[in-house]
């Protein structure tokens, strides 16, 4: 009798747990449908605590992680789903989605093929398989055509500005000068260019190429780690990710003033991709960099890279608005962007975050050879990809690259380098910024309502030289023309990310 009661109690408890997990799953599903991705992840996590053997819950959580760009976590969840149920097609599907979005099409292909074999009539799956096969073929073709390093001709050497005639029917803004004597960039030209961009008009390719080529020369002259002094009575503004949201960039300038010698800025990476006005953003920032080289500073983000630009839209946008040669010119120019800045010897500013080992000094960063595509490990990779975590120590990154670093890591880095604060970007925040690690690590993200669906505010930080205390300004997104984010990206990726 006692044993029967015990078994009955155990069964009732198990049923109760399953019912709890199902209720939590339904709540998480609702959050997912409403595009509250972080809330969905938290809900699926609670459901898994009640039912840790559910392949469905892991696959669902993987889908939410993908929307948050936590591709490492999504791959782990997809793997766990297929371990629990090798016949569960969505587990392979989700892992493939995450690998494709992470730029690992060759890994995604095997999972897409396995899923398609088990479910051959699924139209969405067939489209994704075809897109992945096409991408793998393109990568192999590109690899086969790649010239040996000794034979490589830089894009800037392939550009002949003198041959780019300004046609008589061109009505857009023009730089001062002439084709014979050369053209000079002025503030008047920049402001006219911005107004043309606002009306969705292009500038002539002659001027666009000149801006990028001159920006490359200016960036080459900079060190990998840039020191920026700020006078006691001066101010300095730091902005985070812009991601091709040109009209929100203009809103920042309308609120805080255009860049000038008395109104300096640092834009902390990820100028391009996602938003469909990335060309307008980067040409505007490069132009101001040329006009005010000591007052407009640019740092490299993880999206200033070939692999990200191929996937998330910048390559396609540049080709649509200009030429393939300009794509190559941007790639080379991005490789010369500095990796980090130090403000007034007190504030360390980097796109991603800190490092996988203790004791990293500023001198170590100064020695990094940055003219390359980002590697998958090491200081350069971590500077571009890492994120803070609430607990001490380090952990594998939810992104699948870089590292998650805790408050103790931040304290150690600041103490080692006699610094006061770390400022980084790289992550969407509801209020546009977040203060972590007992106030020693700040995230600033300047693209409000990211990809037209996150609902977040944007923010920028203003410092004054005397005390270097951060002051935050937050703002909502402003209207933009009816061109959706990811309009120039792989259509498969846009559908996968809910756009």
């Amino acid at each position: 009798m006692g044993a029967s009661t015990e078994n009955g109690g155990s069964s009732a408890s198990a049923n109760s747990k399953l019912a709890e997990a199902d209720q939590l799953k339904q709540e998480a599903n609702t959050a997912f449908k409403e595009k509250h991705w972080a809330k969905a992840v938290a809900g699926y996590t609670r459901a898994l605590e009640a039912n840790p053997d559910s392949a469905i819950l892991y696959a669902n959580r993987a889908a939410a992680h993908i929307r948050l760009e936590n591709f490492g976590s999504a791959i782990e969840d997809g793997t766990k789903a297929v371990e629990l149920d090798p016949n569960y097609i969505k587990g392979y599907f989700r892992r493939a989605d995450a690998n494709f979005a992470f730029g690992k099409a060759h890994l995604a292909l095997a999972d897409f093929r396995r899923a398609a074999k088990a479910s051959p009539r699924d139209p969405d799956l067939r489209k994704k398989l075809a897109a992945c096969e096409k991408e793998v073929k393109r990568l192999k073709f590109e690899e086969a055509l790649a010239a040996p390093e000794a034979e490589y001709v830089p894009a800037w050497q392939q550009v002949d500005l003198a041959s780019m005639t300004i046609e008589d029917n061109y009505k857009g803004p023009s730089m001062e000068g002439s084709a014979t004597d050369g053209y000079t960039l002025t503030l008047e030209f920049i402001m006219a260019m911005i107004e043309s961009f606002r009306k969705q008009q292009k500038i002539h390719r002659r001027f666009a190429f000149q801006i990028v080529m001159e920006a490359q020369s200016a960036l080459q002259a900079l060190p990998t780690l840039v020191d920026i002094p700020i006078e006691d009575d001066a101010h300095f503004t730091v902005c985070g990710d812009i991601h091709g949201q040109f009209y929100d960039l203009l809103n920042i300038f309308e609120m805080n003033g255009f860049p000038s010698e008395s109104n300096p800025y640092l834009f902390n990476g990820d100028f391009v991709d996602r938003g469909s006005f990335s060309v307008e953003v980067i040409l505007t920032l490069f132009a101001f960099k040329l006009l005010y080289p000591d007052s407009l500073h640019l740092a490299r983000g993880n999206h200033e890279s070939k692999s990200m630009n191929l996937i998330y839209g910048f390559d396609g946008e540049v080709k649509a608005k200009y030429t393939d040669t300009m794509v190559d010119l941007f790639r080379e120019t991005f490789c010369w962007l500095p990796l980090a800045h130090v403000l007034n010897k007190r504030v360390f500013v980097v796109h991603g975050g800190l490092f996988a080992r203790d004791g990293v000094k500023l001198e170590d960063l100064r020695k990094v050879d940055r003219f390359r595509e980002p590697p998958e490990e090491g200081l350069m990779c971590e500077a571009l990809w890492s994120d803070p975590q609430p607990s001490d120590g380090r952990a594998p990154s939810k992104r699948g690259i870089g590292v998650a670093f805790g408050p103790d890591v931040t304290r150690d880095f600041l103490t080692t380098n006699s610094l006061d604060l770390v400022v980084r970007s790289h992550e969407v925040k509801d209020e546009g910024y977040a203060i972590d690690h007992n106030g020693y690590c700040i995230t600033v993200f300047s693209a409000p309502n990211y990809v037209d669906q996150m609902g977040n505010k944007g923010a920028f930080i203003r410092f004054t030289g005397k005390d270097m205390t951060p002051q935050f300004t937050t703002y909502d997104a402003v209207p933009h023309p009816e061109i959706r984010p990811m309009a120039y990206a792989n259509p498969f990726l846009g559908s996968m990310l809910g756009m």
Side-chain angles (χ1 to χ4, degrees), residues 440-454:
Y440 293 108
C441 181
I442 292 174
T443 298
V444 59
F445 193 86
S446 301
N449 194 27
Y450 181 44
V451 292
D452 284 1
Q453 65 177 228
M454 298 299 285

Side-chain angles (χ1 to χ4, degrees), residues 47-93:
L48 281 164
E49 291 170 357
N51 182 14
D53 298 323
S54 171
I56 294 173
L57 287 173
Y58 277 106
N60 285 4
R61 190 171 69 175
H65 273 307
I66 289 169
R67 300 307 199 280
L68 289 169
E69 304 177 29
N70 297 337
F71 301 125
S73 296
I75 291 166
E76 288 181 4
D77 279 354
T79 299
K80 185 65 176 178
V82 299
E83 286 175 353
L84 288 168
D85 185 354
N87 297 315
Y88 185 54
I89 300 305
K90 281 192 176 179
Y92 299 101
F93 207 149

Side-chain angles (χ1 to χ4, degrees), residues 346-396:
R346 296 175 63 180
V347 178
F348 179 72
V349 187
V350 67
H351 179 72
L354 301 182
F355 310 101
R357 62 178 173 87
D358 290 333
V360 173
K361 298 180 179 179
L362 297 181
E363 290 307 312
D364 298 324
L365 297 174
R366 296 185 202 279
K367 296 174 184 175
V368 172
D369 180 8
R370 73 186 188 274
F371 185 67
R372 59 184 298 192
E373 289 301 320
E376 294 193 1
E377 60 183 9
L379 296 183
M380 182 174 178
C381 167
E382 291 150 10
L384 299 179
W385 281 95
S386 292
D387 297 290
Q389 65 178 16
S391 56
D392 279 350
R394 295 177 175 88

Side-chain angles (χ1 to χ4, degrees), residues 159-165 179 205-210 213-214:
V159 177
D160 181 12
L161 291 177
S163 69
M164 297 182 188
T165 304
R205 65 189 184 283
R206 169 65 174 76
F207 304 129
F209 270 103
Q210 180 172 330
M213 292 175 70
E214 290 186 359

